[in-house]
Amino acid sequence: MKKIAYCCCFGIASMTTTYFGIVGILPQLAEHYHISLDKAGSLVSIYALTIALVGPFATLLVSNFNRRVVLLACFAPFLVAGVVSALGPPFWVLVLMRIVPGLFHPVFFATSLGIVGAESDPAERPRLMAIVLSGIGVATVVTIPLITYAVGQWGWQAGFGLQTIISALGMAATYWFIPSLPATAHAGFREQLGILVKPVFLLSAAMALLLVSGWFCTYGYFVTYLVSIKHVAAGNISYQLLLFGAMGLVGNWLAGKLLGRSLQVTTYLLLAGPILVAAGLLATGSQLALTTGMVAVWGLLYAPCFLLSSAVITAAAPEAVAFANSIAASFSNLGVAVGTTVGGWLIAHYGIRSLPWGNVGFALLALAVALLLGWLQKPKPAALTPVSST
């Protein structure tokens, strides 16, 4: 099972490369298509919104198929989109080439986590989920910087070309290393959709949304904050990003171990993360050593938020693990959109120094939801049955 988890990790890394790798291409695309940078930025948001709005139901539709076939099929639109995008099509086609793979990204994500959730021992499950989700960190540390380097050396078309090669490698690894995995017995469509009205499930999803929103309130403006407030030189930003991603891998590994021991304790520890980072950012000055230390702590505590979201949401719906994981992906991507939007509002009204307070606000709301969730899940004392006298 560990081999399958690592293979799924590489698949998620390849798809995350397509998702966020375009960030390093946006200035060149804006120049090539003679559009503003914010319009070019819609290529990122349209991908996120596609995942959020369509992902759960796309996952539901393929739940009866062989899971290896589903994983392999998910790579096809990434290959097509990479090739078409590298050819420099009209901008509306480029937008379409972001929507199409966005439909399949959450299917791969949810199916991968569903496999390790269904095929592994409960004690090993959090650690294997952490391995799968570490693909996000691998993309941050390795493949996305490669995309940025390729664009700088050979132009924006090379960025899309490299994305295509990475997707092809992910597909090959899936073909060679993941065996046939027939669909397991699961609840029907109606029963799976039924989790959407469970109070515990809805609160778990709300907590995940608030947690991710809190992180992205500041992380969405990571570079701008470090340059403007911490006075990090532009030449040092790439090193800060590498440190951030590397510490994220460590954070995912530690969170996987902690989740295997106690979901509740790990939840409260990680909910405190945005508050701790915000306090550190507000309390420290612009010394490079202190900033670097804060970035390391930031990456360590930020990365597990996606793992925690999946763990909490799937724990609330064990009867529909794959569907629940797709909901987790949707709410995480909604969190990205909500957090960056609120962060932009804070910058516009209170300045960029106010961003860490957004972390704190969202984290406190998430903590309140977690406390309510814990109260609902607390075993209620059995009612006393009156004893009749004879």
Side-chain angles (χ1 to χ4, degrees), residues 40-378:
S42 67
L43 295 171
V44 179
S45 59
I46 195 68
Y47 194 110
L49 288 174
T50 301
I51 294 175
L53 298 176
V54 183
F57 304 102
T59 302
L60 198 60
L61 289 174
V62 302
S63 59
N64 287 323
F65 291 90
N66 185 296
R67 289 166 292 170
R68 176 177 182 263
V69 173
V70 171
L71 294 180
L72 286 170
C74 286
F75 284 103
F78 284 84
L79 295 174
V80 172
V83 171
V84 172
S85 299
L87 296 175
F91 186 73
W92 69 268
V93 176
L94 197 61
V95 171
L96 184 62
M97 291 300 101
R98 296 294 288 173
I99 294 174
V100 173
L103 296 172
F104 291 84
H105 184 125
V107 175
F108 189 95
F109 183 95
T111 303
S112 297
L113 291 173
I115 289 171
V116 300
E119 304 292 335
S120 61
D121 295 330
E124 287 290 302
R125 193 170 300 154
R127 191 166 64 87
L128 292 172
M129 289 176 66
I131 290 173
V132 173
L133 288 173
S134 65
I136 299 172
V138 171
T140 303
V141 176
V142 181
T143 54
I144 291 176
L146 278 177
I147 296 292
T148 305
Y149 175 80
V151 170
Q153 292 295 311
W154 302 294
W156 62 267
Q157 292 94 337
F160 286 115
L162 186 54
Q163 286 179 17
T164 308
I165 293 171
I166 294 170
S167 295
L169 292 173
M171 187 176 191
T174 301
Y175 178 82
W176 286 111
F177 298 112
I178 295 184
S180 177
L181 294 168
T184 55
H186 55 76
F189 287 174
R190 185 173 180 179
E191 289 78 11
Q192 292 188 74
L193 288 172
I195 69 175
L196 298 178
V197 296
K198 292 173 58 177
V200 169
F201 180 83
L202 293 175
L203 284 172
S204 299
M207 187 188 74
L209 171 65
L210 290 168
L211 175 62
V212 176
S213 298
W215 279 120
F216 271 85
C217 192
T218 301
Y219 177 65
Y221 306 92
F222 181 88
V223 174
T224 306
Y225 187 87
L226 290 186
V227 172
S228 302
I229 304 302
K230 297 300 182 180
H231 305 298
V232 177
N236 288 327
I237 288 294
S238 59
Y239 300 111
Q240 300 291 335
L241 286 169
L242 283 173
L243 174 64
F244 185 90
M247 292 303 295
L249 293 175
V250 176
N252 258 333
W253 178 77
L254 289 174
K257 286 192 169 294
L258 288 173
L259 283 169
R261 298 186 178 187
S262 173
L263 174 60
Q264 188 176 42
V265 171
T266 308
T267 298
Y268 288 124
L269 284 174
L270 292 179
L271 285 177
I275 299 175
L276 292 174
V277 169
L281 291 174
L282 291 168
T284 57
S286 58
Q287 296 92 338
L288 182 59
L290 287 176
T291 299
T292 301
M294 278 308 308
V295 167
V297 175
W298 194 350
L300 184 75
L301 295 173
Y302 154 82
C305 73
F306 299 104
L307 174 60
L308 179 65
S309 298
S310 293
V312 169
I313 290 176
T314 54
E319 70 275 25
V321 174
F323 185 50
N325 273 315
S326 66
I327 295 289
S330 288
F331 273 75
S332 294
N333 281 277
L334 281 175
V336 173
V338 170
T340 52
T341 300
V342 171
W345 182 86
L346 286 172
I347 291 172
H349 289 81
Y350 301 102
I352 196 168
R353 288 185 182 276
S354 66
L355 284 180
W357 290 108
N359 285 33
V360 174
F362 277 114
L364 290 176
L365 288 173
L367 183 60
V369 174
L371 291 171
L372 177 59
L373 189 60
W375 178 79
L376 286 176
Q377 293 176 313
K378 185 177 180 180

